[in-house]
Amino acid sequence: MERKVGSSTTVTSKEVKAALEKTQTLTSEEEKVLRLRHGAGAASKSAPLPRAAGNNQELGDELLLIEMQLMKAMRERTGQAKSASKPKAAATGANATKDKIVRALRKKK
């Protein structure tokens, strides 16, 4: 029996990180596994995320439109819509009672 002499190399996280930045053939799941296995973090925390549309301008425009609609809906839902242009509604119900109590306490001072 012959003894097989194998060569082994050590791959550092920096090398994996550099290789992952260059490649375009891996799926997102494969890239995630490699990053987790070798401890290679993302390229840069300040780097922009890659565009899902790639070089397809029509798809990019459509995605931008969807994003704008979602942002508008989120602002309306959280009450961050342009409230400066709208006058404040009159205090009603509990707010009116609360305001009356606060005014009375201020006068007492």
Side-chain angles (χ1 to χ4, degrees):
M1 290 178 90
E2 292 182 29
R3 184 170 184 195
K4 293 183 181 179
V5 179
S7 64
S8 64
T9 59
T10 304
V11 179
T12 65
S13 62
K14 290 179 182 178
E15 292 171 338
V16 172
K17 191 175 185 179
L20 288 173
E21 290 174 8
K22 294 177 186 175
T23 187
Q24 299 290 326
T25 58
L26 294 176
T27 64
S28 61
E29 189 172 332
E30 291 170 338
E31 182 177 346
K32 182 179 174 183
V33 169
L34 284 172
R35 287 189 187 280
L36 289 172
R37 174 116 173 128
H38 295 285
S44 172
K45 294 191 189 277
S46 61
L49 295 173
R51 292 287 177 190
N55 294 333
N56 188 343
Q57 187 66 33
E58 185 177 326
L59 180 58
D61 292 343
E62 195 171 328
L63 290 173
L64 179 62
L65 179 64
I66 292 170
E67 183 180 356
M68 289 169 48
Q69 289 171 345
L70 290 172
M71 289 294 290
K72 181 180 176 186
M74 184 190 73
R75 284 190 191 114
E76 288 174 358
R77 189 173 199 175
T78 59
Q80 295 176 358
K82 298 176 183 174
S83 59
S85 62
K86 297 179 184 176
K88 282 191 173 182
T92 59
N95 288 340
T97 307
K98 180 181 172 185
D99 291 340
K100 184 178 177 182
I101 294 170
V102 169
R103 281 193 304 270
L105 289 173
R106 285 186 182 151
K107 286 179 185 177
K108 230 179 179 182
K109 288 183 179 181

Short mmCIF file of all heavy atoms in Angstrom, two decimals, residues 22-78:
data_model
loop_
_atom_site.label_atom_id
_atom_site.label_comp_id
_atom_site.label_asym_id
_atom_site.label_seq_id
_atom_site.Cartn_x
_atom_site.Cartn_y
_atom_site.Cartn_z
N LYS A 22 -16.08 38.92 -5.91
CA LYS A 22 -15.81 38.83 -7.34
C LYS A 22 -16.80 37.92 -8.07
O LYS A 22 -17.09 38.13 -9.24
CB LYS A 22 -14.40 38.30 -7.57
CG LYS A 22 -13.32 39.24 -7.11
CD LYS A 22 -11.95 38.63 -7.30
CE LYS A 22 -10.87 39.51 -6.69
NZ LYS A 22 -9.56 38.88 -6.78
N THR A 23 -17.32 36.91 -7.40
CA THR A 23 -18.16 35.92 -8.08
C THR A 23 -19.58 36.41 -8.28
O THR A 23 -20.10 37.19 -7.50
CB THR A 23 -18.17 34.58 -7.30
OG1 THR A 23 -18.86 33.62 -8.08
CG2 THR A 23 -18.85 34.72 -5.97
N GLN A 24 -20.21 35.94 -9.34
CA GLN A 24 -21.60 36.28 -9.65
C GLN A 24 -22.44 35.02 -9.81
O GLN A 24 -23.62 35.10 -10.08
CB GLN A 24 -21.66 37.08 -10.96
CG GLN A 24 -20.93 38.40 -10.93
CD GLN A 24 -21.63 39.41 -10.04
OE1 GLN A 24 -22.85 39.43 -9.95
NE2 GLN A 24 -20.86 40.25 -9.38
N THR A 25 -21.85 33.84 -9.64
CA THR A 25 -22.55 32.60 -9.96
C THR A 25 -23.21 31.93 -8.76
O THR A 25 -24.01 31.03 -8.95
CB THR A 25 -21.56 31.59 -10.58
OG1 THR A 25 -20.50 31.36 -9.65
CG2 THR A 25 -21.00 32.12 -11.89
N LEU A 26 -22.92 32.36 -7.55
CA LEU A 26 -23.50 31.72 -6.38
C LEU A 26 -24.90 32.25 -6.10
O LEU A 26 -25.20 33.41 -6.35
CB LEU A 26 -22.64 32.00 -5.14
CG LEU A 26 -21.24 31.41 -5.13
CD1 LEU A 26 -20.50 31.87 -3.89
CD2 LEU A 26 -21.30 29.90 -5.16
N THR A 27 -25.74 31.37 -5.58
CA THR A 27 -27.05 31.83 -5.13
C THR A 27 -26.87 32.51 -3.77
O THR A 27 -25.83 32.38 -3.13
CB THR A 27 -28.03 30.66 -4.98
OG1 THR A 27 -27.55 29.79 -3.95
CG2 THR A 27 -28.18 29.88 -6.28
N SER A 28 -27.89 33.21 -3.34
CA SER A 28 -27.79 33.92 -2.07
C SER A 28 -27.62 32.94 -0.91
O SER A 28 -26.89 33.21 0.05
CB SER A 28 -29.02 34.78 -1.85
OG SER A 28 -30.18 33.98 -1.80
N GLU A 29 -28.24 31.78 -1.01
CA GLU A 29 -28.11 30.78 0.05
C GLU A 29 -26.70 30.20 0.11
O GLU A 29 -26.13 30.03 1.18
CB GLU A 29 -29.13 29.66 -0.16
CG GLU A 29 -29.21 28.70 1.01
CD GLU A 29 -30.36 27.72 0.86
OE1 GLU A 29 -31.35 28.05 0.21
OE2 GLU A 29 -30.22 26.61 1.40
N GLU A 30 -26.11 29.92 -1.06
CA GLU A 30 -24.74 29.40 -1.10
C GLU A 30 -23.75 30.43 -0.56
O GLU A 30 -22.83 30.09 0.20
CB GLU A 30 -24.37 29.04 -2.54
CG GLU A 30 -25.12 27.85 -3.08
CD GLU A 30 -24.93 27.64 -4.58
OE1 GLU A 30 -24.56 28.60 -5.28
OE2 GLU A 30 -25.14 26.51 -5.03
N GLU A 31 -23.96 31.68 -0.92
CA GLU A 31 -23.08 32.74 -0.42
C GLU A 31 -23.20 32.87 1.09
O GLU A 31 -22.21 33.01 1.81
CB GLU A 31 -23.44 34.07 -1.09
CG GLU A 31 -22.53 35.20 -0.66
CD GLU A 31 -22.86 36.50 -1.38
OE1 GLU A 31 -23.59 36.47 -2.38
OE2 GLU A 31 -22.36 37.53 -0.90
N LYS A 32 -24.41 32.78 1.58
CA LYS A 32 -24.65 32.87 3.03
C LYS A 32 -23.93 31.74 3.77
O LYS A 32 -23.30 31.96 4.80
CB LYS A 32 -26.15 32.82 3.29
CG LYS A 32 -26.55 32.94 4.73
CD LYS A 32 -28.06 32.90 4.86
CE LYS A 32 -28.51 32.89 6.29
NZ LYS A 32 -29.97 32.77 6.39
N VAL A 33 -24.02 30.52 3.23
CA VAL A 33 -23.37 29.37 3.86
C VAL A 33 -21.86 29.57 3.90
O VAL A 33 -21.22 29.33 4.92
CB VAL A 33 -23.74 28.07 3.12
CG1 VAL A 33 -22.87 26.92 3.58
CG2 VAL A 33 -25.20 27.74 3.34
N LEU A 34 -21.29 30.03 2.79
CA LEU A 34 -19.84 30.25 2.77
C LEU A 34 -19.42 31.33 3.75
O LEU A 34 -18.41 31.20 4.45
CB LEU A 34 -19.38 30.62 1.36
CG LEU A 34 -19.32 29.45 0.37
CD1 LEU A 34 -19.04 29.97 -1.03
CD2 LEU A 34 -18.24 28.48 0.79
N ARG A 35 -20.18 32.40 3.83
CA ARG A 35 -19.85 33.47 4.76
C ARG A 35 -19.92 32.99 6.21
O ARG A 35 -19.06 33.29 7.02
CB ARG A 35 -20.78 34.67 4.56
CG ARG A 35 -20.48 35.44 3.31
CD ARG A 35 -21.28 36.73 3.25
NE ARG A 35 -21.13 37.40 1.99
CZ ARG A 35 -20.08 38.14 1.64
NH1 ARG A 35 -19.09 38.31 2.48
NH2 ARG A 35 -20.03 38.72 0.46
N LEU A 36 -20.96 32.21 6.53
CA LEU A 36 -21.10 31.69 7.89
C LEU A 36 -20.02 30.66 8.21
O LEU A 36 -19.46 30.66 9.31
CB LEU A 36 -22.49 31.07 8.07
CG LEU A 36 -23.66 32.03 8.12
CD1 LEU A 36 -24.98 31.26 8.09
CD2 LEU A 36 -23.59 32.89 9.36
N ARG A 37 -19.72 29.80 7.28
CA ARG A 37 -18.75 28.72 7.51
C ARG A 37 -17.34 29.26 7.72
O ARG A 37 -16.60 28.76 8.55
CB ARG A 37 -18.76 27.78 6.31
CG ARG A 37 -17.72 26.71 6.35
CD ARG A 37 -18.36 25.38 6.43
NE ARG A 37 -17.34 24.35 6.30
CZ ARG A 37 -17.22 23.38 7.17
NH1 ARG A 37 -18.05 23.28 8.15
NH2 ARG A 37 -16.29 22.47 7.01
N HIS A 38 -16.97 30.29 6.96
CA HIS A 38 -15.60 30.80 7.03
C HIS A 38 -15.49 32.12 7.79
O HIS A 38 -14.40 32.68 7.89
CB HIS A 38 -15.04 30.98 5.61
CG HIS A 38 -14.90 29.66 4.89
ND1 HIS A 38 -13.91 28.77 5.17
CD2 HIS A 38 -15.66 29.10 3.93
CE1 HIS A 38 -14.04 27.70 4.40
NE2 HIS A 38 -15.10 27.88 3.63
N GLY A 39 -16.58 32.63 8.30
CA GLY A 39 -16.53 33.85 9.10
C GLY A 39 -16.25 35.10 8.29
O GLY A 39 -15.68 36.06 8.79
N ALA A 40 -16.65 35.08 7.04
CA ALA A 40 -16.44 36.25 6.18
C ALA A 40 -17.67 37.13 6.25
O ALA A 40 -18.77 36.72 5.91
CB ALA A 40 -16.19 35.81 4.74
N GLY A 41 -17.49 38.35 6.71
CA GLY A 41 -18.61 39.28 6.83
C GLY A 41 -18.99 39.86 5.49
O GLY A 41 -18.44 39.51 4.44
N ALA A 42 -19.93 40.77 5.53
CA ALA A 42 -20.36 41.45 4.31
C ALA A 42 -19.23 42.35 3.81
O ALA A 42 -18.31 42.70 4.55
CB ALA A 42 -21.61 42.25 4.58
N ALA A 43 -19.31 42.75 2.56
CA ALA A 43 -18.26 43.54 1.94
C ALA A 43 -18.00 44.83 2.72
O ALA A 43 -16.88 45.12 3.11
CB ALA A 43 -18.62 43.86 0.50
N SER A 44 -19.01 45.60 2.95
CA SER A 44 -18.87 46.86 3.66
C SER A 44 -20.23 47.24 4.24
O SER A 44 -21.25 47.07 3.59
CB SER A 44 -18.38 47.95 2.73
OG SER A 44 -18.42 49.19 3.37
N LYS A 45 -20.22 47.75 5.44
CA LYS A 45 -21.49 48.12 6.05
C LYS A 45 -22.08 49.36 5.38
O LYS A 45 -23.28 49.57 5.41
CB LYS A 45 -21.30 48.37 7.54
CG LYS A 45 -20.92 47.11 8.29
CD LYS A 45 -20.99 47.32 9.77
CE LYS A 45 -20.42 46.14 10.52
NZ LYS A 45 -21.32 45.06 10.71
N SER A 46 -21.26 50.18 4.78
CA SER A 46 -21.75 51.39 4.13
C SER A 46 -21.98 51.20 2.63
O SER A 46 -22.47 52.11 1.97
CB SER A 46 -20.77 52.54 4.35
OG SER A 46 -19.52 52.22 3.77
N ALA A 47 -21.64 50.03 2.10
CA ALA A 47 -21.83 49.79 0.67
C ALA A 47 -23.32 49.65 0.36
O ALA A 47 -24.07 49.09 1.15
CB ALA A 47 -21.10 48.51 0.25
N PRO A 48 -23.76 50.17 -0.77
CA PRO A 48 -25.18 50.05 -1.12
C PRO A 48 -25.53 48.61 -1.45
O PRO A 48 -24.69 47.83 -1.90
CB PRO A 48 -25.32 50.95 -2.35
CG PRO A 48 -23.96 50.99 -2.94
CD PRO A 48 -23.00 50.88 -1.78
N LEU A 49 -26.78 48.27 -1.22
CA LEU A 49 -27.24 46.93 -1.56
C LEU A 49 -27.33 46.78 -3.07
O LEU A 49 -27.61 47.75 -3.77
CB LEU A 49 -28.61 46.68 -0.93
CG LEU A 49 -28.65 46.67 0.59
CD1 LEU A 49 -30.11 46.60 1.05
CD2 LEU A 49 -27.86 45.53 1.14
N PRO A 50 -27.09 45.59 -3.57
CA PRO A 50 -27.20 45.41 -5.02
C PRO A 50 -28.64 45.55 -5.47
O PRO A 50 -29.58 45.21 -4.75
CB PRO A 50 -26.70 43.97 -5.24
CG PRO A 50 -26.87 43.31 -3.93
CD PRO A 50 -26.71 44.37 -2.89
N ARG A 51 -28.82 46.09 -6.67
CA ARG A 51 -30.15 46.30 -7.22
C ARG A 51 -30.72 44.98 -7.73
O ARG A 51 -30.03 44.22 -8.41
CB ARG A 51 -30.11 47.31 -8.36
CG ARG A 51 -29.77 48.70 -7.90
CD ARG A 51 -30.96 49.25 -7.17
NE ARG A 51 -30.67 50.58 -6.65
CZ ARG A 51 -31.47 51.19 -5.82
NH1 ARG A 51 -32.56 50.63 -5.42
NH2 ARG A 51 -31.17 52.39 -5.39
N ALA A 52 -31.97 44.71 -7.39
CA ALA A 52 -32.61 43.47 -7.81
C ALA A 52 -32.87 43.46 -9.30
O ALA A 52 -32.93 42.41 -9.93
CB ALA A 52 -33.93 43.27 -7.05
N ALA A 53 -33.01 44.64 -9.91
CA ALA A 53 -33.32 44.72 -11.33
C ALA A 53 -32.09 44.50 -12.21
O ALA A 53 -32.22 44.22 -13.39
CB ALA A 53 -33.94 46.07 -11.64
N GLY A 54 -30.91 44.64 -11.64
CA GLY A 54 -29.70 44.50 -12.44
C GLY A 54 -29.61 45.60 -13.47
O GLY A 54 -29.72 46.78 -13.14
N ASN A 55 -29.45 45.26 -14.74
CA ASN A 55 -29.35 46.25 -15.81
C ASN A 55 -30.67 46.48 -16.53
O ASN A 55 -30.72 47.22 -17.50
CB ASN A 55 -28.29 45.80 -16.83
CG ASN A 55 -26.91 45.80 -16.22
OD1 ASN A 55 -26.64 46.56 -15.29
ND2 ASN A 55 -26.04 44.96 -16.72
N ASN A 56 -31.74 45.87 -16.07
CA ASN A 56 -33.05 45.99 -16.71
C ASN A 56 -33.72 47.28 -16.22
O ASN A 56 -34.24 47.35 -15.11
CB ASN A 56 -33.90 44.77 -16.38
CG ASN A 56 -35.19 44.73 -17.15
OD1 ASN A 56 -35.63 45.73 -17.71
ND2 ASN A 56 -35.82 43.56 -17.18
N GLN A 57 -33.72 48.31 -17.04
CA GLN A 57 -34.25 49.63 -16.67
C GLN A 57 -35.76 49.58 -16.44
O GLN A 57 -36.27 50.21 -15.51
CB GLN A 57 -33.92 50.65 -17.76
CG GLN A 57 -34.28 52.07 -17.39
CD GLN A 57 -33.44 52.60 -16.24
OE1 GLN A 57 -32.30 52.24 -16.09
NE2 GLN A 57 -34.04 53.44 -15.42
N GLU A 58 -36.47 48.84 -17.26
CA GLU A 58 -37.93 48.76 -17.12
C GLU A 58 -38.31 48.12 -15.79
O GLU A 58 -39.19 48.62 -15.07
CB GLU A 58 -38.51 47.95 -18.27
CG GLU A 58 -40.02 47.92 -18.29
CD GLU A 58 -40.55 47.17 -19.50
OE1 GLU A 58 -39.93 47.23 -20.57
OE2 GLU A 58 -41.61 46.54 -19.35
N LEU A 59 -37.65 47.05 -15.42
CA LEU A 59 -37.90 46.38 -14.15
C LEU A 59 -37.51 47.29 -12.99
O LEU A 59 -38.20 47.35 -11.97
CB LEU A 59 -37.15 45.06 -14.06
CG LEU A 59 -37.32 44.25 -12.79
CD1 LEU A 59 -38.78 43.91 -12.56
CD2 LEU A 59 -36.48 42.99 -12.85
N GLY A 60 -36.41 48.03 -13.14
CA GLY A 60 -35.98 48.96 -12.11
C GLY A 60 -37.01 50.04 -11.86
O GLY A 60 -37.29 50.40 -10.70
N ASP A 61 -37.60 50.58 -12.93
CA ASP A 61 -38.64 51.60 -12.80
C ASP A 61 -39.88 51.04 -12.09
O ASP A 61 -40.49 51.69 -11.25
CB ASP A 61 -39.04 52.16 -14.16
CG ASP A 61 -37.92 52.97 -14.80
OD1 ASP A 61 -37.00 53.38 -14.07
OD2 ASP A 61 -37.98 53.18 -16.03
N GLU A 62 -40.25 49.82 -12.46
CA GLU A 62 -41.41 49.20 -11.85
C GLU A 62 -41.19 48.95 -10.35
O GLU A 62 -42.07 49.21 -9.53
CB GLU A 62 -41.71 47.88 -12.57
CG GLU A 62 -43.07 47.32 -12.28
CD GLU A 62 -43.40 46.12 -13.17
OE1 GLU A 62 -42.94 46.08 -14.33
OE2 GLU A 62 -44.11 45.24 -12.68
N LEU A 63 -40.00 48.48 -10.00
CA LEU A 63 -39.68 48.25 -8.59
C LEU A 63 -39.64 49.56 -7.81
O LEU A 63 -40.06 49.62 -6.65
CB LEU A 63 -38.35 47.50 -8.46
CG LEU A 63 -38.37 46.04 -8.91
CD1 LEU A 63 -36.96 45.46 -8.90
CD2 LEU A 63 -39.29 45.22 -8.02
N LEU A 64 -39.13 50.62 -8.43
CA LEU A 64 -39.11 51.93 -7.78
C LEU A 64 -40.52 52.43 -7.51
O LEU A 64 -40.81 52.97 -6.44
CB LEU A 64 -38.35 52.94 -8.64
CG LEU A 64 -38.27 54.36 -8.09
CD1 LEU A 64 -37.52 54.38 -6.76
CD2 LEU A 64 -37.60 55.27 -9.10
N LEU A 65 -41.42 52.24 -8.45
CA LEU A 65 -42.81 52.64 -8.28
C LEU A 65 -43.45 51.89 -7.12
O LEU A 65 -44.13 52.48 -6.28
CB LEU A 65 -43.59 52.40 -9.58
CG LEU A 65 -45.07 52.76 -9.55
CD1 LEU A 65 -45.23 54.26 -9.33
CD2 LEU A 65 -45.73 52.32 -10.82
N ILE A 66 -43.21 50.59 -7.05
CA ILE A 66 -43.76 49.78 -5.95
C ILE A 66 -43.19 50.25 -4.62
O ILE A 66 -43.92 50.38 -3.63
CB ILE A 66 -43.46 48.28 -6.19
CG1 ILE A 66 -44.24 47.77 -7.40
CG2 ILE A 66 -43.78 47.46 -4.95
CD1 ILE A 66 -43.83 46.39 -7.86
N GLU A 67 -41.90 50.52 -4.59
CA GLU A 67 -41.26 50.99 -3.36
C GLU A 67 -41.86 52.32 -2.91
O GLU A 67 -42.12 52.53 -1.71
CB GLU A 67 -39.75 51.15 -3.58
CG GLU A 67 -39.00 51.57 -2.35
CD GLU A 67 -37.52 51.73 -2.60
OE1 GLU A 67 -37.04 51.42 -3.71
OE2 GLU A 67 -36.81 52.17 -1.67
N MET A 68 -42.10 53.22 -3.84
CA MET A 68 -42.68 54.53 -3.50
C MET A 68 -44.10 54.36 -2.95
O MET A 68 -44.47 55.04 -1.98
CB MET A 68 -42.67 55.44 -4.73
CG MET A 68 -41.28 55.91 -5.10
SD MET A 68 -41.14 56.73 -6.70
CE MET A 68 -42.45 57.90 -6.67
N GLN A 69 -44.88 53.47 -3.54
CA GLN A 69 -46.23 53.23 -3.06
C GLN A 69 -46.21 52.65 -1.65
O GLN A 69 -47.02 53.04 -0.79
CB GLN A 69 -46.97 52.29 -4.00
CG GLN A 69 -47.32 52.91 -5.34
CD GLN A 69 -47.85 51.89 -6.33
OE1 GLN A 69 -47.71 50.68 -6.13
NE2 GLN A 69 -48.47 52.37 -7.39
N LEU A 70 -45.29 51.73 -1.39
CA LEU A 70 -45.19 51.13 -0.06
C LEU A 70 -44.75 52.14 0.98
O LEU A 70 -45.25 52.15 2.11
CB LEU A 70 -44.24 49.94 -0.09
CG LEU A 70 -44.74 48.70 -0.84
CD1 LEU A 70 -43.63 47.67 -0.97
CD2 LEU A 70 -45.93 48.12 -0.13
N MET A 71 -43.81 53.02 0.61
CA MET A 71 -43.35 54.04 1.56
C MET A 71 -44.48 55.01 1.89
O MET A 71 -44.66 55.41 3.03
CB MET A 71 -42.16 54.82 0.97
CG MET A 71 -40.87 54.02 0.91
SD MET A 71 -40.24 53.61 2.52
CE MET A 71 -39.72 55.20 3.10
N LYS A 72 -45.28 55.38 0.89
CA LYS A 72 -46.40 56.29 1.11
C LYS A 72 -47.42 55.64 2.04
O LYS A 72 -47.91 56.27 2.98
CB LYS A 72 -47.06 56.64 -0.23
CG LYS A 72 -48.22 57.59 -0.10
CD LYS A 72 -48.83 57.89 -1.45
CE LYS A 72 -50.05 58.78 -1.30
NZ LYS A 72 -50.73 58.96 -2.58
N ALA A 73 -47.73 54.36 1.80
CA ALA A 73 -48.68 53.65 2.64
C ALA A 73 -48.17 53.52 4.07
O ALA A 73 -48.93 53.67 5.03
CB ALA A 73 -48.97 52.27 2.06
N MET A 74 -46.87 53.28 4.23
CA MET A 74 -46.29 53.16 5.56
C MET A 74 -46.36 54.48 6.31
O MET A 74 -46.71 54.52 7.49
CB MET A 74 -44.83 52.70 5.48
CG MET A 74 -44.21 52.47 6.84
SD MET A 74 -42.44 52.20 6.79
CE MET A 74 -41.87 53.85 6.44
N ARG A 75 -46.07 55.59 5.63
CA ARG A 75 -46.14 56.90 6.27
C ARG A 75 -47.56 57.23 6.71
O ARG A 75 -47.78 57.76 7.79
CB ARG A 75 -45.63 57.97 5.32
CG ARG A 75 -44.13 57.98 5.21
CD ARG A 75 -43.65 59.21 4.45
NE ARG A 75 -42.25 59.06 4.13
CZ ARG A 75 -41.77 58.94 2.90
NH1 ARG A 75 -42.57 59.00 1.87
NH2 ARG A 75 -40.48 58.80 2.70
N GLU A 76 -48.53 56.91 5.86
CA GLU A 76 -49.92 57.17 6.21
C GLU A 76 -50.34 56.32 7.41
O GLU A 76 -51.07 56.78 8.28
CB GLU A 76 -50.83 56.88 5.02
CG GLU A 76 -50.71 57.91 3.92
CD GLU A 76 -51.50 57.54 2.68
OE1 GLU A 76 -52.13 56.46 2.66
OE2 GLU A 76 -51.49 58.34 1.73
N ARG A 77 -49.87 55.10 7.44
CA ARG A 77 -50.25 54.19 8.51
C ARG A 77 -49.64 54.60 9.85
O ARG A 77 -50.27 54.46 10.89
CB ARG A 77 -49.80 52.78 8.15
CG ARG A 77 -50.31 51.74 9.07
CD ARG A 77 -49.98 50.38 8.55
NE ARG A 77 -50.86 49.42 9.20
CZ ARG A 77 -50.90 48.17 8.90
NH1 ARG A 77 -50.14 47.70 7.95
NH2 ARG A 77 -51.70 47.36 9.54
N THR A 78 -48.41 55.10 9.83
CA THR A 78 -47.74 55.49 11.07
C THR A 78 -47.99 56.94 11.43
O THR A 78 -47.50 57.40 12.44
CB THR A 78 -46.23 55.24 10.98
OG1 THR A 78 -45.69 55.99 9.90
CG2 THR A 78 -45.93 53.77 10.79
#
